[in-house]
Amino acid sequence: MALLTIDMQDKLIALLTDEGLVSKSALDAVVAESQTNKQPLFALLSEKRLVDDEMLTHAIAQLSGVPYVNLTNSLISQKVLDLIPEEVAERFMAVPLADVQNRLAVAMVDASNVQAVDYLSSRINRPLKVFMASEAGVRHVLDQYKTDLSTVDAAAEASKEEAEKEEASSIKTIVQDSPISRALSTILEYAVKSRASDVHIEPLESALKIRCRVDGVLREIMQLPKTIEPALVSRIKILSNLKIDEHRVPQDGQFAVKIANKEVDLRIAISPVVWGEQVVIRLLDKSSATFNIEEMGYAGRALRAIRKGIHRPNGMVLTSGPTGSGKSTSLYALIQEIRDDAVNIVTLEDPVEYKMEGVNQIQVNGDVGLTFATGLRSILRQDPDIVMVGEIRDEETAALAVQAALTGHLVFSTLHTNSAAGVLPRLLDMKVEPFLIASTVNTIIGQRLVRRVAPKRDTYQSNPIETQNILATVGHLLPKTQADVARVSQDLGYKDLPLAGQNAYTLVKGKDTPATPRGYSGRAGLYEVMDVSDTIQQLIVSRSASSQIQKQAIAEGMITMRQDGYLKALQGVTTLEEVNRVTADTA
């Protein structure tokens, strides 16, 4: 951060209090502590989390008359980065941003350093437009010097000639060559920094396509020469301890890497396809995992129903949804909510995605006969209070899970169904008796994931069709008068909901940038939580259709996933288009 004069420091303190960013009493206490302990005031403010670096940098820039830029989520093109060499950028903590009116826009930590600005300008032989940025923001861009996908192309070319010459018997020699290792490392590093959940390496007839799944949507990032496919796939197999000479059957493996100071677990799935072997890499970034149920998007009625279900002494809590809808993460969040030294929690997972302290986690291993069913039998002899079964896949596991719930255990598990109500017929398909389902299942969660609108956004008024859809979906839930706003908003768990019956509603859409494709960044959950009431129990016993059960749950106050999505769109979390996309198969 730029050095501050006494006068500017006083002005900055006044700005923080005048803007209401820090209360005067809190600031006075920190000023006194700074003077007593002779600690830098703003380091102390940051340490006590009263302000963050971005807030301070923005305030200093405002007082200095220098434009401010937040770089913490920025993605700068390699062509622009090449304008200032990496070693120069690191020495002066200055990074290039873009061409602005025939000048190069540069972000600096110390934008008041005239000598540095003059040196940079003469070094690149261009006038500069200087912005102020935080140290964290500048370092975020500096990291991008190390993640240049063009190095993958270079590695591909470097190994292409050898790959064409070597036979399958000597693949091990090829994969140990540094260009291939560099190529794989760069692809993985790019995926981590792009917040990708999966990397797809797909062989085509004459090329190798690399795609990343970011916020649930796949997009192609590059194509490599077909000739490096054997070397790249074999490198992945060696790291995953798989057989490099097996090309006929699918193989699964895993390994861990440290990328950008983050520990990332990788799950590898390799399958033979027409043009070679396809590799899908699932990335589990342990450092970014959040298991707080409120932060995940549970609110209002849904949150109250969940907390009621998970604090019962026995029974079953089930989550449902398609693959990749966040079911396992929801289970971890529920475990986190009730984890305590007074209870014994045992989980059975395939695979163990995140390790939780104080929880006994068991990894399913089909090769030695440790399946969900056999593992569940073993768990019940370990005196558990709470049991988590990663997935109910067959009749035997379903029967054992129900028996565990009947014998005084609280059981968490997942099922693949389209809605919360669809869980009940699914259990019937698994030959579980209706009266057993009715007496054991406490709470059912249906969920989907939608992309969040990026921080850089625009607001607009809904058109007549959007307004009609909003009123048809959630009009009956919205407050009718201004006097109802506080009560209804609290009941549904959202802030200041708009009134029903309006001609238009304020919605948001994100700005399409390289860092936020199509205006989205990150994901949020849509949930429907069904509390199995006495009436719903009777419908289960009478083998009613899932549509009847769904209708009864809604009558009892359940908010459906689509309704939850529309409420989140009105709150500026996501868009109506995104909600409609992911809830198209739900009621």
Side-chain angles (χ1 to χ4, degrees), residues 81-111:
L81 290 177
D82 288 342
L83 295 174
I84 297 181
E86 183 180 358
E87 63 276 8
V88 175
E90 284 185 349
R91 184 169 23 136
F92 292 102
M93 290 302 286
V95 292
L97 303 178
D99 282 313
V100 178
Q101 299 170 346
N102 296 322
R103 292 188 293 171
L104 178 63
V106 175
M108 301 178 68
V109 171
D110 186 2

Side-chain angles (χ1 to χ4, degrees), residues 512-547:
D512 190 5
T513 70
T516 57
R518 299 192 65 184
Y520 296 106
S521 177
R523 287 195 285 178
L526 305 185
Y527 305 99
E528 60 185 27
V529 181
M530 180 189 296
D531 187 19
V532 181
S533 63
D534 292 342
T535 308
I536 291 176
Q537 286 181 347
Q538 291 170 9
L539 289 173
I540 295 169
V541 171
S542 61
R543 294 180 180 267
S544 299
S546 59
S547 58

Side-chain angles (χ1 to χ4, degrees), residues 149-166 173-183 224-225 227-228 231:
L149 283 178
S150 65
T151 63
V152 179
D153 287 320
E157 289 303 316
S159 60
K160 182 177 179 181
E161 196 173 320
E162 290 183 62
E164 289 172 339
K165 292 178 182 177
E166 295 286 349
T173 309
I174 303 173
V175 300
Q176 290 170 343
D177 189 32
S178 59
I180 287 296
S181 299
R182 247 187 353 260
L224 297 175
T227 48
I228 76 158

Side-chain angles (χ1 to χ4, degrees), residues 8 14 66 68 94 155 169 249 255 289 293 322 330 338 360 375 378 401 405 450 494 501 531 536 550:
M8 189 177 285
V66 178
Y68 160 80
S169 60
V249 297
F255 63 97
I293 58 176
S330 282
I338 59 174
N360 301 300
S378 170
V450 289
Y494 296 107
D531 187 19
I536 291 176
Q550 175 98 345

Side-chain angles (χ1 to χ4, degrees), residues 206-450:
S206 57
L208 192 63
K209 183 163 68 175
I210 313 293
R211 296 196 290 172
C212 285
R213 187 180 297 278
V214 179
D215 296 334
V217 178
L218 273 171
R219 67 173 190 260
E220 184 176 326
I221 60 169
M222 68 185 311
Q223 287 197 10
L224 297 175
K226 178 73 172 174
T227 48
I228 76 158
E229 180 201 333
L232 188 61
V233 174
S234 293
R235 177 66 181 158
I236 293 169
K237 286 180 177 179
I238 287 171
L239 290 170
S240 311
N241 292 319
L242 301 178
K243 298 176 181 177
I244 64 170
D245 58 345
E246 178 57 79
H247 309 288
R248 300 164 299 169
V249 297
Q251 297 188 76
D252 295 330
Q254 63 182 66
F255 63 97
V257 292
K258 191 167 185 178
I259 298 173
N261 295 318
K262 294 180 179 179
E263 282 188 30
V264 183
D265 282 341
L266 306 177
R267 304 276 187 263
I268 312 299
I270 300 177
S271 300
V273 292
V274 172
W275 301 113
E277 288 181 280
Q278 179 189 27
V279 181
V280 177
I281 304 173
R282 168 67 56 90
L283 293 90
L284 299 170
D285 182 358
K286 293 182 282 188
S287 64
S288 65
T290 174
F291 299 127
N292 181 298
I293 58 176
E294 292 181 50
E295 289 180 15
M296 289 170 60
Y298 290 99
R301 297 178 192 175
L303 184 59
R304 292 192 293 273
I306 280 180
R307 285 188 165 144
K308 177 184 173 185
I310 65 177
H311 285 101
R312 288 178 177 172
N314 52 54
M316 295 178 73
V317 177
L318 302 173
T319 65
S320 67
T323 302
S325 61
K327 300 187 299 297
S328 297
T329 305
S330 282
L331 289 186
Y332 281 116
L334 301 184
I335 294 288
Q336 180 79 12
E337 179 86 1
I338 59 174
R339 188 179 61 170
D340 189 272
D341 284 342
V343 293
N344 178 24
I345 303 174
V346 185
T347 74
L348 190 62
E349 305 171 57
D350 182 22
V352 175
E353 294 187 3
Y354 299 99
K355 296 173 180 66
M356 298 184 75
E357 191 176 340
V359 177
N360 301 300
Q361 296 172 275
I362 299 172
Q363 168 81 52
V364 167
N365 186 347
D367 293 340
V368 297
L370 179 55
T371 63
F372 279 117
T374 57
L376 190 48
R377 283 198 185 87
S378 170
I379 284 176
L380 296 178
R381 293 192 289 270
Q382 295 175 24
D383 186 31
D385 299 288
I386 298 163
V387 175
M388 184 186 108
V389 182
E391 185 182 345
I392 295 178
R393 295 177 178 172
D394 51 47
E395 294 176 14
E396 189 179 9
T397 308
L400 287 166
V402 168
Q403 287 301 318
L406 283 172
T407 52
H409 303 92
L410 184 61
V411 179
F412 295 95
S413 193
T414 68
L415 281 164
H416 287 281
T417 61
N418 288 336
S419 64
V423 164
L424 304 168
R426 183 81 182 92
L427 289 174
L428 289 173
D429 290 343
M430 292 183 175
K431 305 294 194 302
V432 180
E433 291 295 333
F435 71 90
L436 291 177
I437 299 172
S439 58
T440 56
V441 178
N442 298 338
T443 309
I444 305 171
I445 305 165
Q447 66 182 78
R448 294 286 192 283
L449 292 177
V450 289

